[in-house]
Amino acid sequence: MKSLLLLAAIGLAAAEDGLAAWLRYARIDNPKTCLAKLPSTIITLNATKGLPVYTAGEELGKGIDGILGKRLEIDERDENGKPRGGKKPAKDSNNAITVGTVAAYAKANPKEAAKLPKLGDDGYYLSVSRGKALILGQNERGTLYGAFRWLQLLGQGNCSDFTLASTPDAPIRWVNQWDNLQDGGTHGSVERGYGGDSIFFWDGYVRPDLTRARLYARLLASIGLNAVVVNNVNADPRTLTPELMDGLARIADEFRPYGVQLALALNFASPQTLGGLDTFDPLEPSVQAWWDNITNELYRRIPDMAGYLVKANSEGQPGPMTYNRTLADGANMFARSLKPHGGIILFRAFVYDHRNLNQTLSWKADRARAAVDYFDGLDDKFDDNVVVQIKYGPIDFQVREPVSPLFAHLVKTPTAIELQITQEYLGQQAHLVYLAPMWKELLDFDLRVDGKPSRTRDIINGSRFNRKLGGYAGVVNVGTNTTWLGSHLAMSNLYAYGRLAWNPSETSEGILSEWISLTFSSDRKVHDVITRMSMLSWPAYENYTGNLGIQTLTDILLGHYGPNPASQDGNPWGQWTRADEDSIGMDRTVWNGTGFAGQYPPEVAELYEHPETTPDNLLLWFHHVPYTYVLKSGKTVIQHFYDAHYAGAETAQTFPQLWQTLKGRKGIDKERYEHVLFRLTYQAGHAIVWRDSICNFYFNKSGIPDELGRVGNYKYRIEAEAMQLDGYVPYDVSPFEAASGTKAVVTKTNSTVGTVSAVLKDLKTGLYDVAVNYYDQAIGNSTWDLYIDRTHVGRWKGDLEYILGRAPSPYIDGQTAARVTFPKVQIKKGSVLKIVGRPDGEEPAPLDYVSIFPHGKGIVD
Ligand code: GCW
């Protein structure tokens, strides 16, 4: 009996698997004060099932039930304010939560409606007073946004009376999913995804079950986002077959109740590859007719489609330049097809040629220049439903970039900023990096166009140049993982993206605090710890990856994840650092370099032209200087590299410790506690990999030692290759800096069990932490066992690819390098440490080193 009851209780408890994200509607601490005033009826005005006002009613019912524990009755009114279906009005109808559009409200209450503040598109009016609540939207989805906003406030325990009128800062608040219809196998994968397969596509088709698509729309609507491009910008022409279009219509049907519109990424060559025409020249009438027809076919199925997104002439994608046409010719072709339907086209400014190897040799060549070079002269050439979508920085979602100068060049043409919630160069959601502070710096940056205040945010929202369109595009890689992004904590970035696109004046901490309350709880300590870690995370990540504007320094030829600074140079991808034995950095000055600095308006250009006036954190983005160049901080460039990497890695070590102080606190359930702890521990280990790789790489290049003697000297380490090897052989790691002492060990064959051992003769008897650095490749799941004498200390498996969501590399390198730590191990002087490695698949149980440091002394090496 007892066990049956227990089972029932488990069945009832919501699984904290992340699926509900910030929409958990968890009961607040003290619902009584709220309940006292709460009416028992929700009145919906002229709601249609399947549209946002109806959803708003439903959501309020669900939310209030969860947050306060009260079930409300729904009283549906028709367009004249009369109860639907001849029903009696609810008893409590004078004291109710009324929800509808301003227009529907005005019909029954013209006088009151006349007094309402004016709202812009998608805006809402929210008034809560002594039990009554009025939630009115400028349109259907505005109403839903208002409902969600009130629920967010209630969910934080805010039951006060207030009146609020809110209109989003910009009309375009889109999400770009990089979902593929299919990868090599059956999967619908997500480019740069670490959160599972596509929630939309499978095996080349739209999934039969779109439950997740619907839940996704709900999440996005709750933070004010209004459209999703459902497929990868590297678009598959098959997206436009009739079967796929039918499938897309089913996705749009799931989105519609939440006011989320579907948009589509297009492959420029589709008229030829799919349509069978002999050209895709945008000025060819047959090509225009083909797109007109496709567009009509799409709108026939999806009348509220938002529009298109196009990546053209970039990274091998086809585009108008294939026919010597301009980018505007290309964009306008789609704009014309969309115009009769009211659709818009977001045309990406991420246009560059990665194929010209000779460029690498030229001091003046610079990929950062490409966007302005390609778009200059086109400002008055675009149709009025074209928006140019510009990545925040001129290169590619790096940990630190200056704002793209193209924002200052397009005055007539509306623009949208492309941000990346997907942490492509920012730890791929396997590292905690809270991005709102970075986005805010970019959005608040003043480009000083014509010597006048010109913040990025005021350019994209249309106010600076008096444009109607514009806004935000966020690249998101949610997938089938129940946590959406593969990590619970990474979801703060999605929440922040929506909140900032709605209102860029919100603060990073304020947004975070809302998100913490809704995702976990309002517990003070929970807030303090998550806020502390999150606010430290971007600076820490920048510290242990790429400093002073040199870019993130990930392996750009593989996973865009682990350290590999050499991969930046010597190839045509254009993310160069120009590091040699003496000096480092891209000279982007006008006087001697690529001239990129001159693409900014004069005041900003002047700032970036000189090393003395360039902020330290962008120095190497704009200038090529000796490693011994002295920064404003008084340190040399090379010593800054060393110090920053040690500081960043040290901060990352505090994350798992901080998180552990939350065990058992309100909202910190076991499931999420363990999940987060695992990832933060992994991050702390990988931060050390980063620190040592980058420090050793530049030490090796420059020959300048660390003033504090840390780099290259690791007194607590025993290199695996220096141990007694049995079944293991030494292995030269490439890149060399991804291994301590440049070498690792691997098992002799794929089936040989290997052992490394060492006599710990110099160690005093005591309690130690034992860290083992190993490599977890994508090509197998080795097992390792650690022993001290006869005691089995622990076992681990090389299965991070499943836990982290994807394996960034099949090789033994900085991406697969990982660390596992066993705390509080009792070791005697003269004990024997032994690791037995069992290879699996093609993964030869690789080991790098063991680090043994006294427990509790705060040493990590
Ligand atoms: O940085 C690159 C990414 C590609 C991406 C491209 C883009 C979708 O590595 O994966 O392709 O940017 O933004 O188009």
Side-chain angles (χ1 to χ4, degrees), residues 463-514:
S463 64
R464 172 64 181 85
F465 300 129
N466 215 353
R467 307 184 296 225
K468 275 211 208 89
L469 277 172
Y472 295 77
V475 177
V476 187
N477 60 352
V478 304
T480 48
N481 191 291
T482 61
T483 62
W484 296 97
L485 286 172
S487 145
H488 294 289
L489 294 187
M491 289 293 275
S492 61
N493 286 325
L494 183 53
Y495 189 82
Y497 169 64
R499 300 288 294 128
L500 286 175
W502 187 280
N503 177 7
S505 299
E506 299 279 355
T507 65
S508 302
E509 291 92 339
I511 295 171
L512 198 55
S513 167
E514 287 185 6

Side-chain angles (χ1 to χ4, degrees), residues 178 191-192 232-234 311 314-315 317 348 350 352 367 391 395-398 418 420 424-425 475 556 558 560 573 575:
W178 286 351
E191 182 151 343
R192 309 298 171 196
N232 193 347
V233 281
N234 295 328
K311 169 178 179 179
S314 167
E315 303 185 332
Q317 293 295 322
R348 285 175 105 218
F350 186 66
Y352 75 101
R367 169 177 159 190
K391 286 191 184 184
I395 293 282
D396 200 4
F397 303 134
Q398 300 300 299
E418 187 173 316
Q420 206 185 33
E424 181 179 345
Y425 289 91
V475 177
I556 66 157
L558 273 172
H560 294 193
W573 287 101
Q575 296 186 210

Side-chain angles (χ1 to χ4, degrees), residues 668-687:
I668 307 294
D669 50 280
K670 192 163 182 300
E671 205 171 349
R672 292 188 293 178
Y673 174 80
E674 297 295 345
H675 177 112
V676 172
L677 180 60
F678 182 89
R679 299 177 89 83
L680 293 175
T681 307
Y682 166 80
Q683 176 178 8
H686 203 226

Side-chain angles (χ1 to χ4, degrees), residues 127-141:
S127 169
V128 181
S129 162
R130 291 205 217 117
K132 279 196 200 179
L134 189 57
I135 306 173
L136 301 177
Q138 183 270 348
N139 52 17
E140 285 252 356
R141 68 180 168 210

